[in-house]
Amino acid sequence: MHPNFEGKIDPRTREAKLLASIDLKRLPRHIAVIMDGNGRWAKMRGRPRIFGHRAGAESVRSILDTCTRLEIEAVTLYAFSTENWKRPRSEVSGLMSMLKKYIRSELREVKAHNIRFQAIGNISGLAADVQKEIQWATEQTAGNSGTVLSVALNYGGRLELVEAAKNAAAQLVASGRGLDQLSEEDIERNLYTKGLPDVDLLIRTSGEMRISNFLLWQIAYSEIYVTPTLFPDFRRSEIFEAIIDFQKRDRRYGGLKEAANK
Ligand code: IPE
Ligand code: IPE
Ligand code: MG
């Protein structure tokens, strides 16, 4: 049994077998999750959509606990997109107050797991009380050296790229270089995710085969795992399954299979 899961997982279970089949030397460095299907989960139970969002909070706990025990470098969670404002006002305000309370209530756990928290997206477009909570959690965990948790809030991949391009162009002009000098590195260093490795494994729950404006740049060579499981049902054993699936992939990056290179 992996020492970090000792006492957490019963060694006789299927979950323990899944864990044992993970190659710990080839873990993804960065896992991103499109947390989808909360509304459908609630609807199936005849409950309001916010009930599904609340249930999803337990899945977030499970993801963080599992990924920190596996010592994954970075975890990025899509919580609210720039397009999600189109939803009914009651759902948006319910989600925002839930997010605010959640960041506060989980701070102790996040600190105990040595997680460094940050929010990515157009944070200044969020309500002042939500921003305050984000700022507090960011400051409180700034010195932590474990998993970097990025929560995408009011996040849009296109918006991120437009902002990065603007900043990169301004820096270029300021440093006296011409526009033809603009490089991938110039864009990369202006992304919200600067300093993090590219996403290795992108997970989307609830079976939808789309990206929905998430991390467009960072997923250029990600392996994608789509599961029909609705987010509130997505827990530890399925994280293990996603990693096992990831480890079966042949990542070629446009080249040839490793064996074919020889
Ligand atoms: C994902 O669940 C959470 C957010 C987008 C905030 P949804 O609310 O999109 O749930 P479905 O897709 O309608 O089931
Ligand atoms: C993507 O889910 C956004 C988040 C998970 C926060 P959506 O439910 O908003 O995406 P679409 O509408 O199905 O593309
Ligand atoms: Mg959805």
Side-chain angles (χ1 to χ4, degrees):
M1 175 70 65
H2 187 303
N4 295 349
F5 289 92
E6 210 87 58
K8 274 293 272 190
I9 295 180
D10 179 342
R12 292 160 303 184
T13 55
R14 177 176 165 270
E15 209 173 29
K17 289 202 183 72
L18 287 172
L19 175 58
S21 61
I22 292 176
D23 178 354
L24 298 172
K25 287 192 246 21
R26 289 173 48 243
L27 289 171
R29 293 177 65 192
H30 188 169
I31 299 179
V33 187
I34 303 177
M35 312 187 285
D36 197 16
N38 295 348
R40 277 162 281 175
W41 188 91
K43 193 169 176 214
M44 279 166 58
R45 287 160 180 78
R47 304 294 296 269
R49 295 176 56 84
I50 193 74
F51 182 70
H53 297 315
R54 277 197 211 106
E58 193 51 44
S59 300
V60 172
R61 262 179 225 116
S62 180
I63 292 172
L64 293 182
D65 183 79
T66 306
C67 289
T68 51
R69 283 174 203 278
L70 285 172
E71 297 168 17
I72 304 289
E73 250 176 87
V75 173
T76 301
L77 304 176
Y78 203 6
F80 195 87
S81 75
T82 45
E83 288 74 35
N84 286 145
W85 297 107
K86 293 181 203 155
R87 296 188 179 197
R89 254 204 7 224
S90 59
E91 181 174 351
V92 171
S93 63
L95 258 169
M96 286 299 158
S97 81
M98 199 198 94
L99 282 163
K100 189 180 77 178
K101 283 193 204 123
Y102 187 79
I103 296 171
R104 190 180 314 167
S105 68
E106 293 309 300
L107 187 56
R108 193 209 296 252
E109 268 299 289
V110 163
K111 281 167 133 177
H113 278 90
N114 193 25
I115 292 172
R116 179 155 68 81
F117 167 88
Q118 63 175 4
I120 61 169
N122 177 15
I123 302 308
S124 59
L126 297 168
D129 56 343
V130 180
Q131 287 189 50
K132 227 164 103 183
E133 224 49 69
I134 290 171
Q135 199 187 342
W136 176 245
T138 308
E139 284 168 12
Q140 288 289 304
T141 63
N144 289 355
S145 56
T147 303
V148 179
L149 165 64
S150 307
V151 179
L153 281 168
N154 196 18
Y155 175 90
R158 288 182 172 180
L159 180 65
E160 177 178 34
L161 287 175
V162 169
E163 291 297 319
K166 271 192 216 162
N167 291 330
Q171 291 156 8
L172 211 63
V173 171
S175 66
R177 292 183 292 156
L179 262 188
D180 59 327
Q181 300 280 303
L182 188 75
S183 68
E184 291 190 9
E185 288 70 33
D186 289 314
I187 299 289
E188 204 146 77
R189 113 165 70 81
N190 284 289
L191 297 173
Y192 303 133
T193 54
K194 60 181 165 293
L196 298 179
D198 273 347
V199 175
D200 296 303
L201 172 60
L202 173 68
I203 297 173
R204 182 162 189 155
T205 58
S206 91
E208 243 48 270
M209 297 285 186
R210 55 177 172 263
I211 300 299
S212 301
N213 202 13
F214 191 41
L215 303 178
L216 300 177
W217 178 284
Q218 299 87 338
I219 61 165
Y221 271 105
S222 299
E223 296 297 329
I224 303 177
Y225 178 88
V226 177
T227 169
T229 304
L230 302 175
F231 187 68
D233 294 324
F234 186 82
R235 298 290 161 85
R236 186 166 59 204
S237 56
E238 209 171 343
I239 303 167
F240 290 163
E241 287 178 61
I243 294 174
I244 292 164
D245 193 78
F246 165 82
Q247 294 185 332
K248 289 186 190 139
R249 310 282 181 91
D250 174 24
R251 303 186 81 188
R252 288 189 293 272
Y253 298 98
L256 300 176
K257 267 175 96 90
E258 224 167 83
N261 280 328
K262 302 217 171 92

